[in-house]
Amino acid sequence: MKRTLFSRLFLSHTIIVIFFSIVLFFLSSQFFSQYYFSLKEKEMIQTGQSISEFISSSPENFASPSQILELIHQLSPNFQVLLINQERSSNYFNHFLPPPRGDFFRNFMQRRGVASFEETLAKVWQGETISWRGVNSRLNQTVLTVAIPVTQNGEISSALLLFTPIADVEATTEAVEHLIFLASLVSLSFSLLLAYFLSGSIVHPIRKLREAAQDLTRGNLQKKIKLPKRKDELGQLAEDFNHLSSALEKTIENLHYEIKQKENILLNMSEGVVALNQQGEIILINPALANILKVEIKQIVGTSINRLFPQPEIQNLFWEVLNQGKPTSREYKLEESKLYLLIHVTPLLEEKDIQGAVGVFQDITELQQLDELRREFLANASHELRTPLTSIQGFVEAIIDGVITDEELKHKYLQIIHRETLRLSRLIHDLLDLSLLESEKSNWEMSPLDMPYLVNQVLLKLTPQIEEQAIVIKKNFTANLPLAWGNADRIEQVLINLLNNAITFSPKKSEVEIEIEGTEKEIVISIKDEGPGIPPEEFPYIFERFHRVEKSRSRKSGGVGLGLAIAKQIVEKHGGEITAQNRTPRGASFTFTLPLAHI
């Protein structure tokens, strides 16, 4: 049987009630029996003393039997009297019981465990009044006996013994005990019923508390206990539980909010993060690092750091921190993905004990590429500046020294100097132009633009290059084109850069197509060539400063990789977008957009 709190409380109450009912029953029975017998004994003693005084007052203690019988009938007809003098002669009165024979009285006293007959009489001769209960062997009845001394002239002359059957007394006590027993049963029943409801009243709110606690473990924090009628400790406990539930709900909400914030921070970090335990097992990895390493988060959590990073250098970096507990940083290049990573590894400490490590991976590929572009620009700019300056310096020194006397040759040298000067001027102009665009200090005058007209003006300026390469220009302009909105000089600069690249990188006698179309929101201009195209790995960087796809050909053409960067800045400042893609089977296509002019 399941030992529930209700069964334990009810069983405890039942045991206590039954125990005290039994004790109360026996105590009350004994008390009533003793009280009733003490009254009977007191009555007999008073009667015996009255008879003793009557006998003592008779002359020479010779009261007639008829007088004594009359006195007995007056006082109590139920008592029998035996008068014994010191010579052991006796008179028997009131024949309610048969008179004793032989040693009956002596044997009667000895069977009841009372002192011997002589000892009892000896006490009476000394003036004591003695009472006892015994069983009459002939009638098989319990008899109450009282022995009282009788005095004559100040001396004890005889002993007066009164005895009477106590069957009526026992019947009365049994009836009272029966009533007490019935009353005990009734009180016991009511007590058990009260114990049942009392146990239920204690257990019921506790069950509600248990159910509410189980709901809490299931996440139901809105569970409340309602005990409006209880103002005791259980009612206060229910109120405290409700307060605890509300406080716990608020605390969990705050924790969820904080955890969500931390998760959002971790998820939205551009840097990759990985956390390890003391055994080098991965306990956390954020999406940024998973994207960098091309792994699945669910598959990698719980595995060793050696599985995530097969590179021994990175493994040793983490194990060094786990063993020594000192933070460290290192740059590393992933050869398979050409990524440059700056790795910061910090130990997780708890009271100076190493509990794990956290690694932060910062993708510095762009910084490395910018650094490479910077170095490349310095080299290219140095080369671009040094070559024309060397030529200019050599030809000027030759002219100054008078080495060249031929006027035709001198004119030729001056043309070279002029061309190199223009090359230097173009380079410096591009650098200043890009710097001005990126400083966001430019304030252009905007106006409606007729894009077909602007394209034709640019083609006219590029006629020498077109004729030199024998390029065929194909125009594909949509009829009734709307006007674009922009700065004519800057858009012309974009067209010159894109068309000049298309002409420069296209093979001779190839075709360059210019396509212009309008939409509801913008003008779309595309320039398509039949050149070698753009390598796929170069697409992310073609609009970067100083980046050149074909460095050898760019150097020959005098470019330093600024044209597309300038074009991108101009188009974006107009609110447009510029993109590039390869054509099939060969060639590249550059497309940019301009907003419509609202006239």
Side-chain angles (χ1 to χ4, degrees), residues 14-66:
T14 302
I15 293 174
I16 293 173
V17 169
I18 293 176
F19 174 76
F20 281 103
S21 297
I22 293 173
V23 172
L24 182 62
F25 171 75
F26 281 106
L27 289 178
S28 60
S29 299
Q30 291 297 320
F31 173 77
F32 179 79
S33 177
Q34 293 294 333
Y35 177 74
Y36 195 73
F37 274 108
S38 65
L39 289 178
K40 198 69 173 176
E41 182 180 349
K42 185 176 181 181
E43 181 185 358
M44 292 178 68
I45 291 174
Q46 290 177 351
T47 301
Q49 288 176 348
S50 299
I51 296 173
S52 175
E53 290 175 358
F54 176 76
I55 295 173
S56 299
S57 62
S58 299
E60 297 183 3
N61 201 9
F62 288 106
S64 65
S66 61

Short mmCIF file of all heavy atoms in Angstrom, two decimals, residues 14-66:
data_model
loop_
_atom_site.label_atom_id
_atom_site.label_comp_id
_atom_site.label_asym_id
_atom_site.label_seq_id
_atom_site.Cartn_x
_atom_site.Cartn_y
_atom_site.Cartn_z
N THR A 14 -5.81 8.21 14.17
CA THR A 14 -6.61 7.05 14.59
C THR A 14 -5.96 6.35 15.78
O THR A 14 -6.62 6.00 16.77
CB THR A 14 -6.76 6.07 13.42
OG1 THR A 14 -7.39 6.74 12.31
CG2 THR A 14 -7.60 4.87 13.82
N ILE A 15 -4.65 6.12 15.69
CA ILE A 15 -3.93 5.44 16.78
C ILE A 15 -4.02 6.26 18.06
O ILE A 15 -4.27 5.74 19.16
CB ILE A 15 -2.47 5.20 16.38
CG1 ILE A 15 -2.41 4.16 15.23
CG2 ILE A 15 -1.66 4.71 17.58
CD1 ILE A 15 -1.04 3.95 14.67
N ILE A 16 -3.82 7.58 17.92
CA ILE A 16 -3.86 8.44 19.11
C ILE A 16 -5.25 8.44 19.73
O ILE A 16 -5.41 8.31 20.96
CB ILE A 16 -3.42 9.88 18.73
CG1 ILE A 16 -1.93 9.88 18.34
CG2 ILE A 16 -3.68 10.84 19.88
CD1 ILE A 16 -1.45 11.20 17.79
N VAL A 17 -6.29 8.57 18.87
CA VAL A 17 -7.66 8.61 19.39
C VAL A 17 -8.02 7.30 20.07
O VAL A 17 -8.61 7.27 21.17
CB VAL A 17 -8.64 8.95 18.25
CG1 VAL A 17 -10.08 8.74 18.70
CG2 VAL A 17 -8.44 10.39 17.80
N ILE A 18 -7.71 6.16 19.41
CA ILE A 18 -8.03 4.84 20.00
C ILE A 18 -7.28 4.65 21.30
O ILE A 18 -7.86 4.17 22.31
CB ILE A 18 -7.71 3.73 18.99
CG1 ILE A 18 -8.66 3.81 17.79
CG2 ILE A 18 -7.79 2.36 19.65
CD1 ILE A 18 -8.34 2.80 16.70
N PHE A 19 -6.01 5.01 21.33
CA PHE A 19 -5.21 4.83 22.55
C PHE A 19 -5.80 5.63 23.71
O PHE A 19 -6.03 5.10 24.81
CB PHE A 19 -3.77 5.26 22.29
CG PHE A 19 -2.91 5.26 23.50
CD1 PHE A 19 -2.42 4.07 24.03
CD2 PHE A 19 -2.58 6.45 24.14
CE1 PHE A 19 -1.63 4.07 25.18
CE2 PHE A 19 -1.79 6.45 25.27
CZ PHE A 19 -1.32 5.26 25.79
N PHE A 20 -6.09 6.91 23.46
CA PHE A 20 -6.61 7.73 24.54
C PHE A 20 -8.04 7.35 24.89
O PHE A 20 -8.46 7.51 26.05
CB PHE A 20 -6.53 9.21 24.17
CG PHE A 20 -5.14 9.79 24.35
CD1 PHE A 20 -4.32 10.01 23.25
CD2 PHE A 20 -4.66 10.08 25.62
CE1 PHE A 20 -3.05 10.51 23.42
CE2 PHE A 20 -3.39 10.60 25.78
CZ PHE A 20 -2.58 10.82 24.69
N SER A 21 -8.80 6.83 23.91
CA SER A 21 -10.15 6.36 24.24
C SER A 21 -10.09 5.16 25.18
O SER A 21 -10.86 5.07 26.15
CB SER A 21 -10.90 6.00 22.95
OG SER A 21 -11.07 7.13 22.13
N ILE A 22 -9.19 4.22 24.88
CA ILE A 22 -9.05 3.05 25.74
C ILE A 22 -8.57 3.45 27.14
O ILE A 22 -9.11 2.99 28.17
CB ILE A 22 -8.07 2.04 25.10
CG1 ILE A 22 -8.68 1.46 23.81
CG2 ILE A 22 -7.74 0.91 26.07
CD1 ILE A 22 -7.74 0.59 23.02
N VAL A 23 -7.58 4.32 27.17
CA VAL A 23 -7.07 4.77 28.46
C VAL A 23 -8.16 5.49 29.24
O VAL A 23 -8.36 5.26 30.46
CB VAL A 23 -5.84 5.68 28.27
CG1 VAL A 23 -5.43 6.32 29.60
CG2 VAL A 23 -4.68 4.89 27.69
N LEU A 24 -8.90 6.36 28.55
CA LEU A 24 -9.97 7.09 29.22
C LEU A 24 -11.07 6.15 29.71
O LEU A 24 -11.63 6.32 30.81
CB LEU A 24 -10.55 8.13 28.26
CG LEU A 24 -11.65 9.03 28.82
CD1 LEU A 24 -11.10 9.86 29.99
CD2 LEU A 24 -12.19 9.95 27.73
N PHE A 25 -11.37 5.13 28.89
CA PHE A 25 -12.40 4.16 29.28
C PHE A 25 -12.00 3.44 30.57
O PHE A 25 -12.79 3.34 31.52
CB PHE A 25 -12.62 3.17 28.14
CG PHE A 25 -13.49 2.01 28.52
CD1 PHE A 25 -14.88 2.17 28.67
CD2 PHE A 25 -12.94 0.75 28.75
CE1 PHE A 25 -15.69 1.08 29.04
CE2 PHE A 25 -13.74 -0.32 29.11
CZ PHE A 25 -15.12 -0.15 29.26
N PHE A 26 -10.80 2.90 30.60
CA PHE A 26 -10.35 2.16 31.79
C PHE A 26 -10.21 3.08 33.00
O PHE A 26 -10.59 2.72 34.12
CB PHE A 26 -9.04 1.44 31.51
CG PHE A 26 -9.21 0.17 30.74
CD1 PHE A 26 -8.85 0.10 29.40
CD2 PHE A 26 -9.73 -0.97 31.34
CE1 PHE A 26 -9.02 -1.07 28.68
CE2 PHE A 26 -9.91 -2.14 30.63
CZ PHE A 26 -9.55 -2.19 29.30
N LEU A 27 -9.68 4.27 32.80
CA LEU A 27 -9.53 5.19 33.92
C LEU A 27 -10.89 5.60 34.49
O LEU A 27 -11.09 5.63 35.72
CB LEU A 27 -8.74 6.42 33.48
CG LEU A 27 -7.25 6.20 33.22
CD1 LEU A 27 -6.60 7.48 32.74
CD2 LEU A 27 -6.54 5.70 34.48
N SER A 28 -11.81 5.92 33.58
CA SER A 28 -13.14 6.34 34.07
C SER A 28 -13.86 5.17 34.75
O SER A 28 -14.54 5.36 35.78
CB SER A 28 -13.97 6.88 32.89
OG SER A 28 -14.14 5.89 31.89
N SER A 29 -13.72 3.95 34.19
CA SER A 29 -14.35 2.78 34.81
C SER A 29 -13.78 2.54 36.20
O SER A 29 -14.52 2.32 37.19
CB SER A 29 -14.16 1.54 33.94
OG SER A 29 -14.77 1.73 32.69
N GLN A 30 -12.45 2.56 36.28
CA GLN A 30 -11.81 2.33 37.57
C GLN A 30 -12.15 3.44 38.56
O GLN A 30 -12.40 3.19 39.75
CB GLN A 30 -10.28 2.24 37.39
CG GLN A 30 -9.82 1.00 36.65
CD GLN A 30 -10.16 -0.27 37.42
OE1 GLN A 30 -10.04 -0.34 38.65
NE2 GLN A 30 -10.63 -1.28 36.69
N PHE A 31 -12.20 4.66 38.05
CA PHE A 31 -12.50 5.77 38.95
C PHE A 31 -13.94 5.63 39.51
O PHE A 31 -14.16 5.79 40.70
CB PHE A 31 -12.36 7.08 38.19
CG PHE A 31 -12.80 8.28 38.97
CD1 PHE A 31 -12.00 8.83 39.97
CD2 PHE A 31 -14.05 8.87 38.74
CE1 PHE A 31 -12.43 9.92 40.70
CE2 PHE A 31 -14.47 9.95 39.46
CZ PHE A 31 -13.66 10.49 40.45
N PHE A 32 -14.90 5.31 38.61
CA PHE A 32 -16.29 5.18 39.07
C PHE A 32 -16.43 4.00 40.04
O PHE A 32 -17.11 4.10 41.06
CB PHE A 32 -17.22 5.00 37.88
CG PHE A 32 -18.66 4.84 38.27
CD1 PHE A 32 -19.43 5.94 38.61
CD2 PHE A 32 -19.24 3.57 38.31
CE1 PHE A 32 -20.76 5.78 38.98
CE2 PHE A 32 -20.56 3.42 38.68
CZ PHE A 32 -21.33 4.53 39.01
N SER A 33 -15.76 2.86 39.69
CA SER A 33 -15.85 1.68 40.55
C SER A 33 -15.26 1.97 41.92
O SER A 33 -15.87 1.67 42.96
CB SER A 33 -15.11 0.50 39.89
OG SER A 33 -15.12 -0.63 40.74
N GLN A 34 -14.08 2.60 41.93
CA GLN A 34 -13.46 2.92 43.20
C GLN A 34 -14.29 3.93 43.97
O GLN A 34 -14.45 3.82 45.21
CB GLN A 34 -12.04 3.49 42.96
CG GLN A 34 -11.05 2.49 42.41
CD GLN A 34 -10.76 1.37 43.40
OE1 GLN A 34 -10.86 1.53 44.63
NE2 GLN A 34 -10.44 0.19 42.86
N TYR A 35 -14.87 4.88 43.28
CA TYR A 35 -15.67 5.90 43.96
C TYR A 35 -16.93 5.27 44.56
O TYR A 35 -17.29 5.55 45.70
CB TYR A 35 -16.03 6.99 42.95
CG TYR A 35 -16.92 8.06 43.52
CD1 TYR A 35 -16.42 9.02 44.41
CD2 TYR A 35 -18.26 8.12 43.17
CE1 TYR A 35 -17.26 9.99 44.93
CE2 TYR A 35 -19.10 9.09 43.69
CZ TYR A 35 -18.59 10.04 44.56
OH TYR A 35 -19.42 11.00 45.08
N TYR A 36 -17.57 4.40 43.77
CA TYR A 36 -18.81 3.78 44.25
C TYR A 36 -18.53 2.87 45.45
O TYR A 36 -19.27 2.87 46.44
CB TYR A 36 -19.47 3.01 43.11
CG TYR A 36 -20.90 2.64 43.37
CD1 TYR A 36 -21.91 3.59 43.33
CD2 TYR A 36 -21.25 1.31 43.66
CE1 TYR A 36 -23.22 3.25 43.57
CE2 TYR A 36 -22.56 0.95 43.90
CZ TYR A 36 -23.54 1.93 43.86
OH TYR A 36 -24.85 1.60 44.09
N PHE A 37 -17.47 2.07 45.35
CA PHE A 37 -17.11 1.20 46.48
C PHE A 37 -16.70 2.01 47.71
O PHE A 37 -16.98 1.61 48.85
CB PHE A 37 -15.99 0.24 46.07
CG PHE A 37 -16.49 -1.00 45.41
CD1 PHE A 37 -16.31 -1.20 44.04
CD2 PHE A 37 -17.16 -1.98 46.12
CE1 PHE A 37 -16.77 -2.33 43.41
CE2 PHE A 37 -17.64 -3.12 45.50
CZ PHE A 37 -17.44 -3.30 44.13
N SER A 38 -16.03 3.12 47.50
CA SER A 38 -15.63 3.94 48.65
C SER A 38 -16.85 4.53 49.35
O SER A 38 -16.89 4.64 50.59
CB SER A 38 -14.69 5.05 48.19
OG SER A 38 -15.36 5.94 47.32
N LEU A 39 -17.89 4.88 48.57
CA LEU A 39 -19.14 5.36 49.18
C LEU A 39 -19.80 4.25 50.00
O LEU A 39 -20.30 4.47 51.13
CB LEU A 39 -20.10 5.86 48.09
CG LEU A 39 -19.73 7.17 47.40
CD1 LEU A 39 -20.76 7.51 46.32
CD2 LEU A 39 -19.65 8.32 48.40
N LYS A 40 -19.83 3.02 49.41
CA LYS A 40 -20.44 1.88 50.11
C LYS A 40 -19.67 1.57 51.39
O LYS A 40 -20.25 1.31 52.46
CB LYS A 40 -20.44 0.67 49.19
CG LYS A 40 -21.41 -0.42 49.64
CD LYS A 40 -22.86 0.05 49.45
CE LYS A 40 -23.83 -1.10 49.74
NZ LYS A 40 -25.24 -0.65 49.66
N GLU A 41 -18.36 1.61 51.24
CA GLU A 41 -17.52 1.33 52.42
C GLU A 41 -17.71 2.39 53.48
O GLU A 41 -17.81 2.09 54.69
CB GLU A 41 -16.06 1.26 51.97
CG GLU A 41 -15.09 0.92 53.09
CD GLU A 41 -13.66 0.88 52.58
OE1 GLU A 41 -13.45 0.90 51.33
OE2 GLU A 41 -12.73 0.83 53.40
N LYS A 42 -17.84 3.64 53.09
CA LYS A 42 -18.04 4.72 54.04
C LYS A 42 -19.39 4.57 54.74
O LYS A 42 -19.51 4.77 55.97
CB LYS A 42 -17.98 6.05 53.31
CG LYS A 42 -18.06 7.26 54.21
CD LYS A 42 -17.91 8.54 53.40
CE LYS A 42 -17.97 9.75 54.31
NZ LYS A 42 -17.86 11.01 53.54
N GLU A 43 -20.42 4.13 53.95
CA GLU A 43 -21.74 3.91 54.55
C GLU A 43 -21.69 2.79 55.60
O GLU A 43 -22.26 2.91 56.69
CB GLU A 43 -22.74 3.57 53.45
CG GLU A 43 -24.17 3.34 53.98
CD GLU A 43 -25.11 2.88 52.89
OE1 GLU A 43 -24.66 2.78 51.71
OE2 GLU A 43 -26.29 2.61 53.18
N MET A 44 -20.98 1.70 55.23
CA MET A 44 -20.88 0.58 56.18
C MET A 44 -20.12 0.99 57.43
O MET A 44 -20.47 0.58 58.56
CB MET A 44 -20.21 -0.62 55.51
CG MET A 44 -21.05 -1.24 54.41
SD MET A 44 -20.19 -2.61 53.61
CE MET A 44 -20.18 -3.80 54.94
N ILE A 45 -19.07 1.75 57.29
CA ILE A 45 -18.28 2.18 58.45
C ILE A 45 -19.14 3.07 59.35
O ILE A 45 -19.13 2.93 60.59
CB ILE A 45 -17.01 2.91 58.00
CG1 ILE A 45 -16.03 1.92 57.33
CG2 ILE A 45 -16.33 3.61 59.17
CD1 ILE A 45 -14.82 2.57 56.73
N GLN A 46 -19.91 4.00 58.70
CA GLN A 46 -20.76 4.85 59.52
C GLN A 46 -21.82 4.03 60.27
O GLN A 46 -22.12 4.26 61.46
CB GLN A 46 -21.44 5.89 58.63
CG GLN A 46 -20.50 6.95 58.10
CD GLN A 46 -21.19 7.92 57.17
OE1 GLN A 46 -22.34 7.70 56.78
NE2 GLN A 46 -20.46 8.98 56.81
N THR A 47 -22.41 3.02 59.54
CA THR A 47 -23.41 2.16 60.19
C THR A 47 -22.76 1.35 61.34
O THR A 47 -23.32 1.22 62.44
CB THR A 47 -24.02 1.20 59.16
OG1 THR A 47 -24.62 1.97 58.13
CG2 THR A 47 -25.08 0.31 59.80
N GLY A 48 -21.61 0.77 61.04
CA GLY A 48 -20.92 0.00 62.07
C GLY A 48 -20.57 0.83 63.28
O GLY A 48 -20.68 0.38 64.43
N GLN A 49 -20.15 2.08 63.01
CA GLN A 49 -19.81 2.95 64.15
C GLN A 49 -21.07 3.27 64.98
O GLN A 49 -21.01 3.38 66.21
CB GLN A 49 -19.16 4.23 63.64
CG GLN A 49 -17.75 3.99 63.12
CD GLN A 49 -17.14 5.26 62.52
OE1 GLN A 49 -17.87 6.23 62.31
NE2 GLN A 49 -15.84 5.20 62.27
N SER A 50 -22.20 3.43 64.26
CA SER A 50 -23.45 3.69 65.01
C SER A 50 -23.81 2.50 65.88
O SER A 50 -24.21 2.65 67.06
CB SER A 50 -24.59 4.00 64.03
OG SER A 50 -24.29 5.15 63.29
N ILE A 51 -23.70 1.26 65.31
CA ILE A 51 -23.99 0.05 66.09
C ILE A 51 -23.00 -0.08 67.25
O ILE A 51 -23.36 -0.43 68.38
CB ILE A 51 -23.97 -1.19 65.19
CG1 ILE A 51 -25.09 -1.08 64.14
CG2 ILE A 51 -24.14 -2.47 66.00
CD1 ILE A 51 -25.05 -2.17 63.09
N SER A 52 -21.70 0.21 66.94
CA SER A 52 -20.67 0.11 67.98
C SER A 52 -20.96 1.08 69.11
O SER A 52 -20.82 0.74 70.29
CB SER A 52 -19.29 0.39 67.37
OG SER A 52 -18.30 0.42 68.36
N GLU A 53 -21.38 2.27 68.77
CA GLU A 53 -21.69 3.25 69.80
C GLU A 53 -22.91 2.81 70.61
O GLU A 53 -22.99 3.01 71.82
CB GLU A 53 -21.95 4.62 69.15
CG GLU A 53 -20.70 5.24 68.57
CD GLU A 53 -21.01 6.52 67.84
OE1 GLU A 53 -22.20 6.89 67.78
OE2 GLU A 53 -20.04 7.16 67.34
N PHE A 54 -23.90 2.17 69.89
CA PHE A 54 -25.10 1.69 70.59
C PHE A 54 -24.73 0.58 71.57
O PHE A 54 -25.19 0.57 72.73
CB PHE A 54 -26.14 1.18 69.58
CG PHE A 54 -27.34 0.58 70.23
CD1 PHE A 54 -28.34 1.38 70.83
CD2 PHE A 54 -27.51 -0.80 70.28
CE1 PHE A 54 -29.44 0.79 71.43
CE2 PHE A 54 -28.63 -1.37 70.87
CZ PHE A 54 -29.60 -0.58 71.45
N ILE A 55 -23.88 -0.36 71.11
CA ILE A 55 -23.47 -1.45 71.98
C ILE A 55 -22.63 -0.91 73.14
O ILE A 55 -22.77 -1.34 74.31
CB ILE A 55 -22.69 -2.50 71.18
CG1 ILE A 55 -23.62 -3.15 70.15
CG2 ILE A 55 -22.10 -3.57 72.09
CD1 ILE A 55 -22.92 -4.10 69.19
N SER A 56 -21.74 0.07 72.79
CA SER A 56 -20.87 0.61 73.84
C SER A 56 -21.67 1.35 74.91
O SER A 56 -21.29 1.36 76.10
CB SER A 56 -19.84 1.55 73.22
OG SER A 56 -19.04 0.84 72.31
N SER A 57 -22.77 1.92 74.49
CA SER A 57 -23.58 2.68 75.46
C SER A 57 -24.48 1.79 76.30
O SER A 57 -25.08 2.24 77.29
CB SER A 57 -24.41 3.73 74.73
OG SER A 57 -25.32 3.09 73.83
N SER A 58 -24.65 0.49 75.92
CA SER A 58 -25.47 -0.43 76.71
C SER A 58 -24.72 -0.83 77.97
O SER A 58 -23.47 -0.91 77.97
CB SER A 58 -25.81 -1.69 75.89
OG SER A 58 -26.52 -1.32 74.73
N PRO A 59 -25.46 -1.14 79.01
CA PRO A 59 -24.77 -1.50 80.27
C PRO A 59 -23.95 -2.77 80.08
O PRO A 59 -24.48 -3.78 79.59
CB PRO A 59 -25.92 -1.71 81.25
CG PRO A 59 -27.10 -0.99 80.64
CD PRO A 59 -26.93 -1.03 79.19
N GLU A 60 -22.71 -2.67 80.44
CA GLU A 60 -21.77 -3.78 80.39
C GLU A 60 -21.76 -4.47 79.03
O GLU A 60 -21.49 -5.64 78.92
CB GLU A 60 -22.10 -4.80 81.49
CG GLU A 60 -21.96 -4.23 82.90
CD GLU A 60 -22.23 -5.30 83.96
OE1 GLU A 60 -22.47 -6.47 83.56
OE2 GLU A 60 -22.16 -4.98 85.13
N ASN A 61 -22.11 -3.67 78.00
CA ASN A 61 -21.99 -4.18 76.62
C ASN A 61 -22.88 -5.38 76.38
O ASN A 61 -22.51 -6.33 75.69
CB ASN A 61 -20.53 -4.56 76.30
CG ASN A 61 -20.30 -4.58 74.78
OD1 ASN A 61 -21.17 -4.16 74.02
ND2 ASN A 61 -19.14 -5.08 74.39
N PHE A 62 -24.05 -5.40 77.06
CA PHE A 62 -24.98 -6.53 76.87
C PHE A 62 -26.28 -6.03 76.26
O PHE A 62 -27.33 -6.07 76.86
CB PHE A 62 -25.29 -7.23 78.21
CG PHE A 62 -24.13 -8.02 78.74
CD1 PHE A 62 -23.40 -7.56 79.82
CD2 PHE A 62 -23.79 -9.23 78.14
CE1 PHE A 62 -22.32 -8.32 80.28
CE2 PHE A 62 -22.73 -9.96 78.62
CZ PHE A 62 -21.98 -9.53 79.68
N ALA A 63 -26.17 -5.48 75.06
CA ALA A 63 -27.38 -5.09 74.32
C ALA A 63 -28.06 -6.34 73.83
O ALA A 63 -27.41 -7.29 73.38
CB ALA A 63 -27.01 -4.18 73.17
N SER A 64 -29.39 -6.35 73.89
CA SER A 64 -30.14 -7.53 73.44
C SER A 64 -30.09 -7.65 71.95
O SER A 64 -30.01 -6.65 71.24
CB SER A 64 -31.60 -7.42 73.94
OG SER A 64 -32.24 -6.31 73.32
N PRO A 65 -30.12 -8.88 71.43
CA PRO A 65 -30.10 -9.07 69.99
C PRO A 65 -31.26 -8.40 69.29
O PRO A 65 -31.12 -7.90 68.17
CB PRO A 65 -30.14 -10.59 69.84
CG PRO A 65 -29.55 -11.11 71.11
CD PRO A 65 -29.99 -10.16 72.18
N SER A 66 -32.42 -8.38 69.94
CA SER A 66 -33.57 -7.74 69.29
C SER A 66 -33.33 -6.25 69.11
O SER A 66 -33.71 -5.66 68.09
CB SER A 66 -34.82 -7.98 70.13
OG SER A 66 -34.67 -7.43 71.45
#
